[in-house]
Amino acid sequence: MPLAMIVGALFCHKLNALEEMSGNMIAPSLIFLMLFITCCRVDIKRMRFTPLYLWLLAIQLLGSVAVWFALSKFDIVVAQGAMVCVLAPIAMAAVVIGGMLGADIEIMAVYTLACHVITAFAAPFVLHLAGGNNCSLAMILSRVAPLLVMPFVAGQFCRLVLKPVGRWVVEHNYLSFYVWLVSLVVIIGRTTSFILSRGKTEYRSEVILAAVSLLICLCQFAVGHVLGRKYGDRAAGGQMLGQKNTVLAVWMAQSFLNPLSSVAPTAYIVWQNLVNSWQLYIAERKGRGK
């Protein structure tokens, strides 16, 4: 994963140009494929509700408002960036990383669907509070619904109807991680290109936004781990609260808030993938008995 981020940063302008030529469809297509592979493993019969969901949603929604009020007294733009980093729902790739860390993917799949729907309803109100006046439920659902519903439906169809295909996908589910690495190269390329395009005129604000997003990232993973351990799944808790749908977060910041605030969720992409790299490294060492 660090190598993928380095490659994305080095070839950022070419990757950004390639993504624009595709109509910004490369990253969504890779995310769809990655989620499809994971959803083939999800057993609907094992899906269940856990009180952990309520804790995580409360922290996400109430925490975003609390962060806004706490920081808006000092810097509106920093407050907007920090708020979006907390408000953003779970990353769609979190199920993939969670599965590699030993998390219950059925629990994470249910939360991924519920979290995005609830965020779509809550985000217009929270963004309005922070100065975003044009956000609506339909606008957010249009961004997330296709990548939420379609991979799940396709995965369950293969699992229940095209069973040979479903079994093959399940047997080769490790491919989802490599698809994620390719998508990470593209996402980091776009992220780096965006940061470089802003120039040095707002350097101080960008550094502060990046630092605040790092603090929020570490806190959310830590709190998620604590809550997850309480309910028997530390890895799931950390991923569900710490790994964010930063693509959606960047879009919300650029579309409805001060565009500079999008530097915070943009930097969050790097921080959360560094955290995940470390977690996967530790999990691999433990798996080898070191």
Side-chain angles (χ1 to χ4, degrees), residues 147-247:
L147 285 181
L148 273 176
V149 178
M150 292 172 62
F152 183 81
V153 172
Q156 292 304 303
F157 181 78
C158 288
R159 180 184 178 88
L160 300 174
V161 181
L162 301 179
K163 294 184 179 181
V165 176
R167 283 195 296 268
W168 187 91
V169 173
V170 171
E171 291 171 358
H172 298 81
N173 67 85
Y174 61 86
L175 293 174
S176 61
F177 179 68
Y178 295 100
V179 175
W180 166 238
L181 287 181
V182 177
S183 67
L184 183 58
V185 171
V186 177
I187 292 170
I188 291 296
R190 295 184 62 187
T191 298
T192 306
S193 181
F194 168 76
I195 293 175
L196 293 177
S197 69
R198 300 200 65 86
K200 298 182 179 180
T201 57
E202 298 163 330
Y203 177 76
R204 179 177 176 276
S205 296
E206 290 175 353
V207 171
I208 294 174
L209 284 162
V212 169
S213 72
L214 172 59
L215 179 61
I216 291 174
C217 178
L218 295 176
C219 288
Q220 290 188 134
F221 270 104
V223 173
H225 285 153
V226 172
L227 289 173
R229 185 186 296 112
K230 179 179 179 181
Y231 290 95
D233 200 331
R234 180 178 182 274
Q239 290 298 307
M240 289 192 291
L241 187 61
Q243 188 166 353
K244 296 291 189 173
N245 187 339
T246 46
V247 175

Side-chain angles (χ1 to χ4, degrees), residues 19-229:
E19 178 74 339
E20 290 180 354
M21 287 176 58
S22 71
N24 295 320
M25 287 302 297
I26 295 178
S29 299
L30 291 170
I31 292 174
F32 176 93
L33 179 58
M34 173 183 59
L35 288 176
F36 164 73
I37 295 172
T38 301
C39 287
C40 284
R41 299 172 56 197
V42 174
D43 186 350
I44 295 179
K45 297 178 180 178
R46 293 188 57 198
M47 287 183 168
R48 64 187 187 280
F49 172 83
T50 169
L52 176 60
Y53 297 161
L54 298 179
W55 283 105
L56 297 177
L57 287 170
I59 293 172
Q60 175 192 338
L61 301 179
L62 299 179
S64 62
V65 175
V67 165
W68 160 255
F69 279 114
L71 296 179
S72 60
K73 301 175 183 178
F74 306 100
D75 191 311
I76 296 295
V77 176
V78 172
Q80 289 179 341
M83 180 270 293
V84 169
C85 287
V86 180
L87 176 63
I90 176 178
M92 296 179 185
V95 182
V96 177
I97 304 299
M100 297 184 67
L101 294 172
D104 188 323
I105 62 171
E106 278 79 17
I107 285 179
M108 295 190 66
V110 173
Y111 184 75
T112 300
L113 293 168
C115 183
H116 277 84
V117 172
I118 292 173
T119 300
F121 277 94
F125 299 99
V126 179
L127 292 173
H128 178 78
L129 177 69
N133 299 317
N134 301 316
C135 183
S136 68
L137 168 65
M139 293 176 71
I140 296 182
L141 281 178
S142 68
R143 299 285 299 193
V144 300
L147 285 181
L148 273 176
V149 178
M150 292 172 62
F152 183 81
V153 172
Q156 292 304 303
F157 181 78
C158 288
R159 180 184 178 88
L160 300 174
V161 181
L162 301 179
K163 294 184 179 181
V165 176
R167 283 195 296 268
W168 187 91
V169 173
V170 171
E171 291 171 358
H172 298 81
N173 67 85
Y174 61 86
L175 293 174
S176 61
F177 179 68
Y178 295 100
V179 175
W180 166 238
L181 287 181
V182 177
S183 67
L184 183 58
V185 171
V186 177
I187 292 170
I188 291 296
R190 295 184 62 187
T191 298
T192 306
S193 181
F194 168 76
I195 293 175
L196 293 177
S197 69
R198 300 200 65 86
K200 298 182 179 180
T201 57
E202 298 163 330
Y203 177 76
R204 179 177 176 276
S205 296
E206 290 175 353
V207 171
I208 294 174
L209 284 162
V212 169
S213 72
L214 172 59
L215 179 61
I216 291 174
C217 178
L218 295 176
C219 288
Q220 290 188 134
F221 270 104
V223 173
H225 285 153
V226 172
L227 289 173
R229 185 186 296 112

